[in-house]
Amino acid sequence: MSNKSVNSENGVNQIRRKFLEFFESKGHLAMKSFSLVPHNDNSLLLINSGMAPLKPYFTGQEIPPRRRVCTCQKCIRTGDIENVGKTARHGTFFEMLGNFSFGDYFKHEAIAWTWEFLTEVAGLDVNRLYPSVYMDDDEAFEIWNKEIGIPAERIFKFGKEDNFWEHGEGPCGPCSEVYYDRGEKYGCGKPTCTVGCDCDRYMEIWNNVFSQFNSDGKGHYTDLIQKNIDTGMGLERLAVALQDVESIFEVDTIKALLDRVAELANTSYKEDAGKDVSLRLITDHIRSCTFMISDGIMPSNEGRGYVLRRLLRRAARHGRMLGIKDTFLANLANTVIELSKDGYPELEEKKEMILKVLTEEENKFNKTIDQGLSILSDIEGKLAENGEKVISGEDAFRLYDTYGFPLDLTKEIIEEKGFSVDEDGFNKAMEAQRKQARAARKATNYMGADVTIYQSLDPKLESVFEGYNSLTDSGKIIALTTEDEIVEAIAEGDHGTIFLDKTSFYATMGGQNADIGVIKTADSVFNVVDVIKLGGNKIGHVGYVSQGMFKLGDTVETVVDANNRRKTAANHSATHLLHKALREVLGNHVEQAGSYVDAERLRFDFTHFKSLSKEELESVEALVNREINKALPVVTDVMDVESAKKSGAMALFGEKYQGDVRVVSMGDFSKELCGGTHVHNTADIKLFKILSENGIAAGVRRIEALTGDGVIEFYQDIENRMQKVAELLKTNESELVSKTESVLDEMKALKSENEKLKAKLASEALGDSKESIEEIGGVKFIAMQVSGVEMNELRNLGDKLKEDVDGGVVVLASDVDGKVNLLCMAGDKALALGAHAGNIIKGIAAIVGGGGGGRPNIAQAGGKNPAGIKDALDKAREVFKSQLN
């Protein structure tokens, strides 16, 4: 499957091997390529450079396995995705060769080995190689000139933009690149053409970054104590130089793949420029897709999965444009695997999954693409009729939502015909759908996803719980889902559900909360945050992948969190003791009506028709603790339902039992039918403490309680709060009650004294109010401003003034801390003549920046403009006059 015209010594797989072997000979550890899924790096969606997965070694967060490391790292960059295919330069998938030093060797060795590899191992002509250095890096210039022997005129000095690697704050430094002169046939022909020209003649193939400074992000640099080397060399670019071909699409492995695409399309490369665009695009995209799926990335509508789906559907569409019939992506992936498994054995290991995912996704797209293209054609027709060029966001979203067209695909198709899309409108429609979906997810499964995803699982799948006596087990993955799709694999960062044929994890059932813990293989970890039991005896482990990937058919180890299980079991066993204790204290009418137990606390619902007295609660609590202290053995027997009932075991009220059941006995005190997990001895519960008792429905009560460590923490919390209160009251805990009583008595006396002072001040604020009384229409009226009087006291003043106006009207305004209180009272005489206190307040409140109203005889309002008080009182007089007319 290789290009026979290429010397096998310079094939892509051979170059990769030679590079790694060369640096191994220089004391480097050749590390396997890291996954395309970044590990603990939220700044990246996909690994895009050889250095990216090694960041923790550069920053010192992790200790490298060796201070000298070399890799060939698979990478994906999608920044130029629109140009892929349109040119022979651009691609999304590439391999990056790199040698790295973490505080070991520096410029002298790095430059010497660069030259040695390129000239002696790769065999490039020394007269066609041109190094460049950062203009101020005299050290690197001297090494190239004096130690390597490159004439000064062949060493190019460039500025920061080209030869200084910096990314915000943190480690940075100058770099030295090596360019290869591919010859005049690749040049622009200009007499000024030289290193740095935009044409294809001088190709940068190697970049040494000398990480020697720390930047504060503001232009200030300090020397790093540990100086590092970060090298990058594109494998495909080096192959272009060594094989003397026009572009990456003509190096041996990629050309073999491209020829396979051309074969399926019954065409040849470089026969038709339009078809060449599609040939290059499919060739590049299927490489990306194959490698992404091998690392556990599954097609989805967000994140990495969206990148995969986007690439996959672009490739599928261009296949149709070339006239390729039926599904073809899996066929091409087979070729990718054959060509690249030499360097990436995981491709062969995951082959079955890769092909299945590609076929299923392509089939899914094929079902809708014709309809979508037809709809898009109709939209274009209508726009053309109206002389418009922009597709609405709603139409673009309909194509996405109904026909699976990513926005980018719609844009790509319509741009070929001179149209564009209202992207803002598309985003609004997308957000509206998300809100609608969130609102509709109130009655869905544990993951907040539509229950139909679990209902779509093969009904023949079954799981067995084997965790009663062991917290670890091994099982085989029988199904995998994300939040909305059944998938073949899930990888680091993915949230999903793993179904196993057998497990040590207890699923949420019978009121007992699920176990938590991890599912793992030698190099992968899935954090289990919930376990669900589905119809047909399927047990789903809900959580997320924190490391590596999991695929269908994997054999895994299930490891339950022992501490969580122990605490949950203690709480569960305590509910059995509580049930029996309640029956003994309250009577046999008590039946369990529900329960919930987890590691933190227990909740027990039971039939009873009145609240429990303090004495009854104390008796129940004491009885449970008595049985705990008796250290009763907890024994489980499996038997048929009838035998269980004959043995005296209590069956839960309203529960349906079928087949064999588990009978849990705690000495001679308690015997119940139960499928949950329990302690081995009641002494393991340690302590029992009731927190609360209340009614939750007619004839149903609820008790919440703690056991063991939870009780100790409960009392520690009480003790801490008591100590804090004692500190605040400046006393010790033994005198806390008497000190509190003393403080309350003092507060009561102060409050009484305060009220008296307020009343006195308010009264004094009135001054000689009788002088302010006037007579309007035969009715006495008073409108006064007072300061610092709250509403309560203002009403007291109003009552006092009502006596002075003899059945007339009182209007008071008080300014307090920048706010206004308004009050109006109307006596019987005024009311009889048409006065209305509420309407007076309504008429004046706006003047003080507020609002309010009330009854005819009394009304009040608040405001925030004290400057308007005088005008408000004047207005009150006018409103009152108008009421009398």
Side-chain angles (χ1 to χ4, degrees):
M1 287 203 143
S2 63
N3 188 334
K4 290 176 184 172
S5 66
V6 174
N7 181 338
S8 63
E9 280 298 301
N10 289 332
V12 166
N13 290 319
Q14 290 71 31
I15 298 169
R16 185 194 302 114
R17 193 179 300 124
K18 282 195 280 190
F19 178 86
L20 295 174
E21 287 174 355
F22 173 77
F23 278 99
E24 279 183 304
S25 75
K26 305 298 182 185
H28 291 65
L29 172 67
M31 295 180 76
K32 183 186 169 191
S33 172
F34 291 81
S35 168
L36 284 165
V37 179
H39 178 68
N40 291 335
D41 186 351
N42 294 329
S43 68
L44 289 176
L45 202 58
L46 293 158
I47 291 298
N48 60 5
S49 70
M51 184 275 284
L54 301 172
K55 274 187 197 175
Y57 302 149
F58 283 109
T59 60
Q61 287 174 312
E62 293 179 27
I63 298 168
R66 201 182 293 176
R67 291 175 74 189
R68 297 181 181 187
V69 162
C70 62
T71 62
C72 182
Q73 176 64 45
K74 49 194 171 185
C75 303
I76 286 181
R77 292 181 187 170
T78 56
D80 288 320
I81 192 170
E82 287 77 14
N83 291 317
V84 174
K86 293 177 184 175
T87 75
R89 275 187 180 188
H90 295 93
T92 59
F93 180 84
F94 62 97
E95 297 177 57
M96 184 63 79
L97 300 166
N99 59 286
F100 307 90
S101 165
F102 309 111
D104 188 2
Y105 62 85
F106 202 47
K107 291 182 187 178
H108 291 274
E109 297 89 341
I111 291 172
W113 291 335
T114 297
W115 193 249
E116 184 182 348
F117 179 81
L118 290 176
T119 59
E120 296 181 27
V121 180
L124 290 172
D125 183 349
V126 296
N127 295 313
R128 296 169 75 171
L129 293 170
Y130 297 84
S132 73
V133 296
Y134 176 51
M135 60 197 309
D136 295 337
D137 191 356
D138 296 333
E139 184 185 8
F141 184 91
E142 291 291 313
I143 295 169
W144 279 114
N145 184 226
K146 300 285 197 302
E147 295 180 23
I148 306 301
I150 309 293
E153 64 272 14
R154 288 187 51 187
I155 304 169
F156 289 79
K157 290 185 174 183
F158 293 129
K160 260 194 171 184
E161 190 175 324
D162 294 300
N163 277 63
F164 195 93
W165 190 91
E166 185 172 14
H167 195 73
E169 285 183 65
C172 61
C175 58
S176 177
E177 299 177 328
V178 178
Y179 291 82
Y180 178 70
D181 179 2
R182 301 171 66 202
E184 289 182 15
K185 62 181 174 179
Y186 296 108
C188 56
K190 295 175 184 174
T192 55
C193 185
T194 185
V195 171
C197 184
D198 286 338
C199 72
D200 290 335
R201 177 172 177 176
Y202 295 94
M203 180 170 67
E204 180 237 312
I205 54 174
W206 191 299
N207 187 10
N208 270 314
V209 177
F210 309 124
S211 187
Q212 64 187 92
F213 302 119
N214 188 68
S215 168
D216 64 358
K218 299 173 184 173
H220 302 109
Y221 302 94
T222 52
D223 286 338
L224 284 174
I225 297 170
Q226 175 182 298
K227 292 177 170 58
N228 304 313
I229 291 291
D230 161 19
T231 291
M233 175 166 63
L235 173 59
E236 295 88 349
R237 275 196 177 194
L238 180 58
V240 166
L242 288 169
Q243 296 176 19
D244 191 23
V245 292
E246 197 169 303
S247 74
I248 59 170
F249 290 98
E250 294 178 57
V251 302
D252 61 321
T253 52
I254 303 176
K255 182 63 164 57
L257 176 61
L258 186 145
D259 286 343
R260 179 72 185 123
V261 182
E263 185 184 326
L264 292 175
N266 294 314
T267 188
S268 297
Y269 190 44
K270 293 192 174 177
E271 275 188 5
D272 180 315
K275 287 183 178 179
D276 286 349
V277 170
S278 295
L279 291 174
R280 286 191 292 261
L281 183 143
I282 295 167
T283 300
D284 170 77
H285 284 13
I286 194 60
R287 292 178 80 211
S288 287
C289 292
T290 304
F291 276 89
M292 288 173 81
I293 297 168
S294 78
D295 282 332
I297 299 168
M298 293 291 112
S300 72
N301 285 335
E302 59 186 14
R304 289 182 282 273
Y306 180 72
V307 174
L308 173 59
R309 179 164 278 169
R310 182 183 174 193
L311 293 168
L312 211 152
R313 292 185 170 181
R314 278 167 62 98
R317 173 176 168 261
H318 278 268
R320 282 173 158 257
M321 289 166 66
L322 288 174
I324 301 174
K325 304 295 181 188
D326 302 320
T327 56
F328 68 98
L329 295 178
N331 186 324
L332 293 176
N334 247 325
T335 306
V336 175
I337 294 166
E338 286 303 310
L339 292 166
S340 301
K341 66 183 181 183
D342 183 67
Y344 304 96
E346 64 269 23
L347 293 174
E348 181 70 31
E349 293 164 17
K350 310 283 172 38
K351 180 175 178 177
E352 192 178 329
M353 177 189 71
I354 293 167
L355 303 186
K356 188 171 182 184
V357 170
L358 283 168
T359 301
E360 289 191 1
E361 182 69 13
E362 192 176 0
N363 278 331
K364 196 183 293 184
F365 188 46
N366 281 342
K367 283 177 186 174
T368 57
I369 188 168
D370 288 329
Q371 292 171 284
L373 289 171
S374 174
I375 297 292
L376 188 52
S377 179
D378 291 344
I379 293 169
E380 289 167 355
K382 286 175 185 171
L383 287 174
E385 281 176 27
N386 298 327
E388 296 173 5
K389 286 286 183 182
V390 181
I391 290 180
S392 73
E394 290 79 6
D395 281 339
F397 180 73
R398 182 159 58 97
L399 284 164
Y400 163 81
D401 196 38
T402 309
Y403 302 105
F405 279 39
L407 179 63
D408 309 279
L409 183 57
T410 299
K411 282 168 62 182
E412 182 180 312
I413 295 169
I414 62 160
E415 279 169 5
E416 292 166 3
K417 299 171 187 176
F419 293 93
S420 62
V421 176
D422 173 11
E423 291 189 47
D424 287 341
F426 175 88
N427 293 330
K428 281 178 187 170
M430 172 79 88
E431 186 54 35
Q433 191 214 45
R434 282 180 180 152
K435 282 181 182 172
Q436 189 178 347
R438 282 194 291 267
R441 281 182 178 171
K442 288 174 184 171
T444 53
N445 67 30
Y446 296 80
M447 297 172 64
D450 196 318
V451 293
T452 55
I453 188 56
Y454 294 137
Q455 292 170 348
S456 301
L457 290 168
D458 184 344
K460 294 192 290 292
L461 296 177
E462 283 193 358
S463 311
V464 178
F465 171 62
E466 296 185 340
Y468 285 115
N469 299 312
S470 174
L471 297 179
T472 59
D473 199 359
S474 67
K476 183 180 175 184
I477 297 179
I478 57 174
L480 286 163
T481 77
T482 60
E483 294 184 5
D484 53 12
E485 289 186 278
I486 296 171
V487 294
E488 295 288 313
I490 50 177
E492 188 166 322
D494 287 344
H495 289 252
T497 305
I498 293 178
F499 292 86
L500 303 172
D501 60 348
K502 54 193 181 79
T503 180
S504 55
F505 279 86
Y506 183 85
T508 299
M509 279 181 295
Q512 178 178 330
N513 208 30
D515 285 326
I516 57 173
V518 295
I519 293 173
K520 61 182 184 177
T521 63
D523 53 7
S524 300
V525 178
F526 179 87
N527 293 70
V528 179
V529 298
D530 194 6
V531 188
I532 56 177
K533 181 79 179 287
L534 301 177
N537 291 322
K538 284 184 279 289
I539 296 174
H541 305 76
V542 181
Y544 59 94
V545 184
S546 58
Q547 181 181 316
M549 67 170 285
F550 293 85
K551 66 182 191 305
L552 201 60
D554 280 352
T555 297
V556 298
E557 184 184 3
T558 58
V559 184
V560 172
D561 183 310
N563 191 44
N564 186 80
R565 166 74 76 86
R566 177 181 61 80
K567 289 181 174 180
T568 303
N571 281 332
H572 194 165
S573 296
T575 62
H576 284 224
L577 297 178
L578 174 59
H579 190 184
K580 184 60 185 293
L582 285 164
R583 287 170 72 91
E584 289 209 0
V585 173
L586 303 175
N588 288 337
H589 65 278
V590 169
E591 292 275 3
Q592 180 172 337
S595 69
Y596 174 84
V597 294
D598 61 17
E600 303 303 318
R601 62 175 60 200
L602 65 92
R603 189 176 73 212
F604 189 79
D605 300 340
F606 58 97
T607 54
H608 189 57
F609 304 96
K610 61 178 181 177
S611 61
L612 275 66
S613 66
K614 184 172 180 288
E615 292 73 26
E616 285 172 331
L617 283 170
E618 287 173 353
S619 296
V620 170
E621 187 174 286
L623 189 49
V624 173
N625 280 311
R626 184 189 76 187
E627 300 306 313
I628 289 171
N629 291 329
K630 281 184 180 177
L632 304 173
V634 178
V635 179
T636 302
D637 297 301
V638 179
M639 59 185 81
D640 63 77
V641 178
E642 289 309 311
S643 299
K645 289 179 178 175
K646 284 176 186 173
S647 74
M650 274 196 293
L652 297 192
F653 185 62
E655 193 80 31
K656 292 178 181 176
Y657 297 97
Q658 293 177 330
D660 288 345
V661 292
R662 297 173 65 83
V663 176
V664 178
S665 304
M666 299 181 185
D668 295 327
F669 184 72
S670 166
K671 185 179 279 192
E672 286 191 28
L673 273 64
C674 181
T677 62
H678 289 277
V679 296
H680 297 295
N681 189 290
T682 59
D684 296 335
I685 302 171
K686 297 178 185 174
L687 291 163
F688 175 79
K689 172 65 187 169
I690 293 175
L691 293 179
S692 65
E693 186 273 339
N694 59 286
I696 58 166
V700 181
R701 311 293 300 175
R702 171 173 291 173
I703 281 177
E704 296 204 35
L706 301 171
T707 64
D709 296 342
V711 179
I712 294 167
E713 289 166 10
F714 172 75
Y715 283 116
Q716 282 176 338
D717 182 54
I718 289 174
E719 188 177 339
N720 291 338
R721 282 184 283 152
M722 284 181 66
Q723 284 177 340
K724 183 67 178 174
V725 173
E727 287 171 18
L728 292 170
L729 292 175
K730 295 183 172 57
T731 187
N732 54 53
E733 288 176 52
S734 62
E735 295 176 358
L736 201 51
V737 174
S738 60
K739 178 69 173 179
T740 303
E741 288 173 343
S742 169
V743 168
L744 288 172
D745 287 343
E746 188 177 340
M747 284 177 64
K748 191 176 178 181
L750 287 170
K751 188 177 179 183
S752 175
E753 188 177 339
N754 192 34
E755 293 299 325
K756 287 177 184 174
L757 286 170
K758 275 185 177 180
K760 184 181 177 187
L761 287 169
S763 184
E764 288 174 353
L766 279 178
D768 191 358
S769 57
K770 289 181 180 176
E771 292 181 3
S772 301
I773 296 172
E774 55 187 301
E775 201 166 292
I776 299 172
V779 179
K780 289 183 177 178
F781 175 89
I782 186 169
M784 288 189 69
Q785 177 178 357
V786 292
S787 291
V789 180
E790 297 286 0
M791 188 58 79
N792 282 342
E793 283 304 317
L794 205 61
R795 280 194 289 269
N796 290 336
L797 288 181
D799 287 335
K800 186 176 178 184
L801 287 172
K802 265 173 71 180
E803 297 172 10
D804 295 336
V805 295
D806 189 24
V809 172
V810 175
V811 181
L812 293 175
S814 170
D815 57 299
V816 184
D817 300 325
K819 293 182 180 176
V820 179
N821 292 322
L822 286 177
L823 176 77
C824 178
M825 292 178 166
D828 293 340
K829 190 173 181 181
L831 290 170
L833 293 173
H836 192 294
N839 290 339
I840 292 173
I841 287 294
K842 275 183 186 175
I844 68 172
I847 300 171
V848 292
R855 300 191 301 274
N857 62 325
I858 185 168
Q860 63 187 51
K864 50 191 176 185
N865 177 27
I869 287 177
K870 184 178 182 302
D871 290 340
L873 293 176
D874 290 340
K875 178 72 171 177
R877 189 177 289 103
E878 290 177 26
V879 175
F880 173 56
K881 280 181 182 176
S882 69
Q883 290 177 345
L884 295 179
N885 291 335

